Amino acid sequence: MQQIPSFDGHNDALLRLFLSTSSTPEADFLNGTNEGHLDLPRAKKGGMIGGLFALYSPSSSNLSFDKMKGNYDLPLPPALHMDTARQSIVAMASMMLRIAKMSNGAVEICRTTGEIAAATRKSALAAVLHIEGAECIDPDLRFLDVLYESGIRSVGPLWSRPNIFGHGAPMRFPGSPDSGPGLSELGKTLVRRCNEFRIMIDVSHLTEAGFWDVAKVSHAPLVATHSNVHSICPVPRNLTDGQLDAIKDTGGLVGLNFATCFLRRDGQMDADTSLEIMVEHLDAMLERLGEDHVALGSDFDGAIIPQRIGSVADLQLLFIALQKRGYSNDLLHKIGSRNWLNTLASTIG
Ligand code: ZN
């Protein structure tokens, strides 16, 4: 089988680099290491042409995967102060800018689908910058202007914690997405401003109430960059049939999250998870959303993923599994990258 190019809806490579003790995190990304899931050499090997790179401000105590055992219900981490959030966001944005600068054209920060296409023609890795949790943005939304000019083209108003824009979905198993309040009035204003800027809004990590708030307020297609199917894995981070239908109705998209806690029927973070369950989620998404609205949102470097896909270098194994399942070459290309590129064209332009 020929390699299927992939454009990935979510990775936390910049968080991994930010938290690493290396004095040369940018060079580590460009030259490659065996740390984590994603760097430039492994992206090339696995056929990744680009993706959304998240800028995320970690909570003071990191999410503990050890606590996601059996039935679990982790309390939402406390709200993060804007200044604290800004420090990590600026550091991660700077890392990406330096990576692009040091890469001699091998990595490009892209602001439009035209720029992504141009980067792909040159075989450069196309990075679209995403904010995961908008704690760094002030109530007057002035920082949004700065973020936009810095290249940010996607914003998830919430991570799984509260902020001035609303409440995020908790890490809980089992659990419904109907897990708390939605967007605040300020959160709705943020959505409207993002529409004006043509910044894509990501509904992953929102509560169900927040999801419907975005659906009501936003003029753009609904996009869940890294979420799965609730009827298979019942956690608040996954999407109900009603949510999937709403995403389809707006011409939006869902990116398959590889985190095993959002894939497995038992909701556990356990690398001993077969690729079969990823195929099942994609089957269910295709049935509900159709061929043009399903894509990938790996969560590389942000989660425990099935061990057969040890890193992005092994991503083709997923496409091979899908081919065995009977997916056509055309469908593999849609899931791999075309659907993301079409959705970005209709959101960021
Ligand atoms: Zn996430």
Side-chain angles (χ1 to χ4, degrees):
M1 188 175 96
Q2 263 203 334
Q3 221 179 32
I4 305 292
S6 74
F7 189 95
D8 189 272
H10 189 90
N11 77 71
D12 287 304
L14 294 171
L15 174 66
R16 178 174 63 76
L17 297 174
F18 174 71
L19 296 175
S20 101
T21 52
S22 168
S23 56
T24 56
E26 294 89 357
D28 292 349
F29 181 85
L30 292 169
N31 300 329
T33 61
N34 276 326
E35 305 284 312
H37 301 140
L38 175 62
D39 52 37
L40 182 61
R42 286 182 287 178
K44 291 268 155 216
K45 190 166 176 234
M48 179 179 175
I49 59 169
L52 280 106
F53 282 67
L55 312 179
Y56 161 76
S57 334
S59 284
S60 50
S61 61
N62 271 332
L63 179 62
S64 169
F65 296 152
D66 292 343
K67 290 185 184 147
M68 300 169 82
K69 293 249 158 50
N71 287 4
Y72 54 85
D73 186 2
L74 308 188
L76 288 183
L80 204 61
H81 195 279
M82 183 182 76
D83 293 336
T84 312
R86 256 181 210 184
Q87 281 176 20
S88 33
I89 293 297
V90 169
M92 282 181 238
S94 149
M95 276 182 182
M96 195 70 231
L97 292 164
R98 289 181 186 184
I99 285 169
K101 201 170 189 178
M102 289 163 63
S103 75
N104 292 318
V107 180
E108 291 192 356
I109 296 173
C110 297
R111 294 163 165 83
T112 62
T113 37
E115 290 184 5
I116 296 171
T120 305
R121 278 195 295 276
K122 290 184 281 183
S123 295
L125 184 70
V128 175
L129 293 182
H130 166 74
I131 297 282
E132 184 172 32
E135 284 82 359
C136 64
I137 300 176
D138 51 291
D140 294 329
L141 309 184
R142 290 187 176 279
F143 201 55
L144 190 63
D145 302 68
V146 177
L147 292 173
Y148 181 81
E149 288 303 321
S150 309
I152 275 71
R153 288 297 180 272
S154 171
V155 168
L158 278 306
W159 187 70
S160 291
R161 66 190 166 209
N163 66 27
I164 58 172
F165 304 109
H167 276 72
M171 299 297 173
R172 176 185 293 163
F173 176 84
S176 157
D178 186 8
S179 53
L183 296 184
S184 62
E185 283 311 308
L186 201 53
K188 293 174 191 168
T189 306
L190 174 64
V191 169
R192 287 187 199 101
R193 288 289 289 151
C194 285
N195 277 172
E196 285 164 21
F197 273 112
R198 297 204 75 178
I199 292 174
M200 190 178 82
I201 298 144
D202 180 14
V203 299
S204 289
H205 287 283
L206 296 188
T207 61
E208 186 168 9
F211 175 94
W212 294 117
D213 285 336
V214 173
K216 212 173 292 166
V217 171
S218 175
H219 301 304
L222 289 167
V223 176
T225 60
H226 59 308
S227 294
N228 293 336
V229 176
H230 189 269
S231 65
I232 299 175
C233 173
V235 291
R237 277 281 284 100
N238 285 343
L239 300 157
T240 63
D241 287 349
Q243 289 176 300
L244 293 169
D245 291 347
I247 289 169
K248 181 186 179 165
D249 289 346
T250 62
L253 178 135
V254 179
L256 176 78
N257 193 320
F258 299 4
T260 69
C261 62
F262 304 143
L263 287 168
R264 295 167 62 103
R265 286 191 164 73
D266 65 5
Q268 305 297 292
M269 267 301 202
D270 183 354
D272 187 10
T273 296
S274 86
L275 302 191
E276 192 50 39
I277 191 73
M278 301 172 83
V279 179
E280 281 182 51
H281 278 271
L282 285 173
D283 279 352
M285 286 181 195
L286 286 165
E287 197 184 317
R288 209 83 208 176
L289 293 160
E291 288 198 358
D292 298 328
H293 308 285
V294 178
L296 303 180
S298 67
D299 225 343
F300 282 139
D301 284 331
I304 291 172
I305 63 173
Q307 63 196 6
R308 275 204 72 205
I309 302 181
S311 77
V312 63
D314 297 319
L315 188 59
Q316 294 299 315
L317 292 175
L318 175 62
F319 294 116
I320 291 167
L322 295 173
Q323 191 195 38
K324 280 191 188 140
R325 179 75 166 189
Y327 286 29
S328 69
N329 207 47
D330 191 48
L331 180 54
L332 295 183
H333 279 276
K334 284 183 175 183
I335 293 171
S337 61
R338 281 187 205 145
N339 289 345
W340 255 126
L341 298 179
N342 285 337
T343 297
L344 287 169
S346 62
T347 49
I348 70 171

